[in-house]
Amino acid sequence: MDSLANPSANPPFPEDVPTHPLEVINYKLLLGKDQAEIQKFWTACKTLGFFYLSEHEIQANEIFEIGRHSLRNLPQKEKLNFLHNANAGDSFGYKPPGANLTNASGGVDTVEWWNIAKDDVLSYPQIAYRTYAAPINDAMDKLKDFVDKSESVSRTLLQILNEMLRLPEGFLDSCHIASKPSTSEVTLIRNPGREKAPSFSEEQLAIGAHTDFGSISLLHNVLGGLQVLPPSTKEWIYIKPIDGHIICNLGDALSVFSGGLLRSNLHRVIPQPGAQIHWDRWTLVYFFRPHGICEMRPLIESEIIKSAAEESTNSFPHGISAVEWFQRRTKYFHKDEETSAAESWKQAKGTEHSEF
């Protein structure tokens, strides 16, 4: 069933399903440089790397409607005309269900999505990377507004982290130069509802366990399914969606830039819990990433980052650009008959592995 048709009719998140508590960070207080709120934000970024963001101005409902028109309502034959070139590590375009691995045993995902490049949105009608289906092209004005506001929120968070990491003023901004090509993108995801809940196994994952590729992810979603694996535990636990709140998390780039001070945490998506299983789960994400040629390395221009990197047991990448990091992970998450699932899964990994 379509959870966007009448959101008030969607079943609530089940009360008997355990969830992981997240800090609620008030965006307006961050803008006002409220020091208590900044400390809450800083702590959340260092511990789980996930938090709720309230009091923001990003509107998701109109963008969800673009998802409905371009995913649920558009014939599959037409969507397949816009397949992304996964073998080249390119994500922009359409990804059908079953195209990506969810584990080293060869399990595949159940979701379909559109990845729409930030650079294509902002340059429209000029093409930066590729073309998209008509429902997306027709909504480029709405997408531009969404991108502009998501960029503004992301850069506000970035500036606060720059200060907390004691980097020279504007240093993290210099790793995310807006005028340079990047892999930042809008992602619209649909995980279809089912008649009955499956007997859950690793083969039923909607999206496999992963860390995000870039710097900051701003996630809006309808219905449950997102789970995190808290540090030093082996138990996956749900994150409950809260109306009007963005679920934010940090990605690999900020973890590397910070010498491991900031956390890029493992997460996955499983079938919707309880009665929500019958409804489509919709997700809208803005992935904010460094510009493509930016080098992935600890930013040792900060003394606290330099110390953290030296004391870390992890090995950090050097000489790898942000776009190369992204393309490697995108390529190997894709199911490829010429490469074993185990090898692909290993090559697709990010900062959850200590060796790069």
Side-chain angles (χ1 to χ4, degrees):
M1 289 183 274
D2 186 0
S3 58
L4 296 179
N6 183 12
S8 63
N10 294 337
F13 191 93
E15 293 184 2
D16 60 345
V17 172
T19 60
H20 193 285
L22 298 182
E23 286 283 5
V24 178
I25 307 300
N26 186 308
Y27 183 65
K28 287 185 178 178
L29 291 180
L30 292 183
L31 286 175
K33 300 190 182 301
D34 182 280
Q35 291 304 304
E37 204 69 11
I38 287 173
Q39 284 299 323
K40 279 173 56 181
F41 168 61
W42 175 239
T43 300
C45 291
K46 292 188 297 179
T47 51
L48 187 66
F50 272 78
F51 54 92
Y52 296 114
L53 193 69
S54 67
E55 298 297 325
H56 57 88
E57 297 183 351
I58 302 175
Q59 298 299 316
N61 290 342
E62 288 187 334
I63 312 302
F64 276 127
E65 282 300 310
I66 300 170
R68 175 198 269 180
H69 294 308
S70 61
L71 287 172
R72 186 181 176 93
N73 297 347
L74 199 66
Q76 187 69 6
K77 182 178 179 180
E78 187 167 347
K79 290 183 283 192
L80 292 175
N81 290 329
F82 299 92
L83 279 176
H84 70 133
N85 187 3
N87 289 331
D90 294 336
S91 70
F92 308 134
Y94 175 69
K95 186 210 73 71
N100 277 10
L101 293 169
T102 58
N103 55 44
S105 300
V108 294
D109 63 354
T110 61
V111 299
E112 61 175 342
W113 67 52
W114 284 99
N115 283 329
I116 308 162
K118 176 207 77 171
D119 296 340
D120 277 324
V121 173
L122 298 183
S123 67
Y124 191 80
Q126 300 299 314
I127 298 170
Y129 292 108
R130 64 159 307 133
T131 59
Y132 302 87
I136 294 172
N137 293 334
D138 293 344
M140 280 295 182
D141 285 345
K142 294 176 181 177
L143 284 165
K144 183 180 186 301
D145 182 68
F146 177 78
V147 166
D148 286 342
K149 289 178 178 176
S150 299
E151 280 275 313
S152 178
V153 167
S154 300
R155 291 183 182 279
T156 296
L157 301 181
L158 197 71
Q159 288 164 8
I160 295 171
L161 291 175
N162 193 94
E163 294 176 11
M164 301 305 287
L165 290 166
R166 302 177 195 170
L167 282 161
E169 183 177 357
F171 206 89
L172 281 177
D173 273 332
S174 73
C175 301
H176 300 78
I177 298 174
S179 60
K180 292 188 176 182
S182 78
T183 59
S184 296
E185 60 193 351
V186 179
T187 300
L188 286 158
I189 309 172
R190 173 179 173 253
N191 190 35
R194 309 182 190 197
E195 290 187 8
K196 61 180 181 179
S199 298
F200 178 72
S201 71
E202 287 295 313
E203 305 307 314
Q204 295 291 336
L205 291 171
I207 300 176
H210 65 285
T211 56
D212 283 350
F213 306 170
S215 295
I216 299 171
S217 304
L218 305 178
L219 184 148
H220 314 253
N221 68 316
V222 179
L223 308 184
L226 175 65
Q227 291 188 322
V228 296
L229 185 67
S232 303
T233 70
K234 296 183 179 180
E235 182 179 356
W236 288 94
I237 189 165
Y238 281 99
I239 298 295
K240 181 181 179 179
I242 300 178
D243 188 43
H245 291 58
I246 301 173
I247 299 174
C248 302
N249 67 282
L250 306 187
D252 289 350
L254 282 181
S255 181
V256 171
F257 289 157
S258 69
L261 283 171
L262 302 178
R263 184 163 184 84
S264 178
N265 202 82
L266 273 172
H267 52 287
R268 69 182 187 181
V269 179
I270 72 169
Q272 299 85 296
Q276 293 188 347
I277 190 66
H278 305 300
W279 273 258
D280 292 352
R281 179 181 186 268
W282 291 92
T283 306
L284 165 64
V285 193
Y286 186 69
F287 290 109
F288 176 71
R289 298 179 177 130
H291 61 267
I293 62 172
C294 178
E295 183 184 355
M296 294 279 284
R297 64 172 180 88
L299 303 179
I300 58 173
E301 290 79 359
S302 159
E303 286 298 324
I304 64 170
I305 293 176
K306 183 178 179 181
S307 295
E310 289 173 349
E311 295 170 8
S312 176
T313 57
N314 288 345
S315 166
F316 293 102
H318 289 274
I320 300 173
S321 70
V323 71
E324 289 170 332
W325 181 270
F326 173 82
Q327 288 174 338
R328 171 184 62 82
R329 299 201 64 193
T330 299
K331 175 181 178 179
Y332 286 105
F333 268 123
H334 180 68
K335 184 180 180 181
D336 181 2
E337 300 300 333
E338 296 183 3
T339 307
S340 73
E343 181 62 21
S344 285
W345 189 247
K346 178 182 177 181
Q347 293 297 329
K349 296 289 94 179
T351 53
E352 67 272 33
H353 279 208
S354 61
E355 296 181 2
F356 302 104

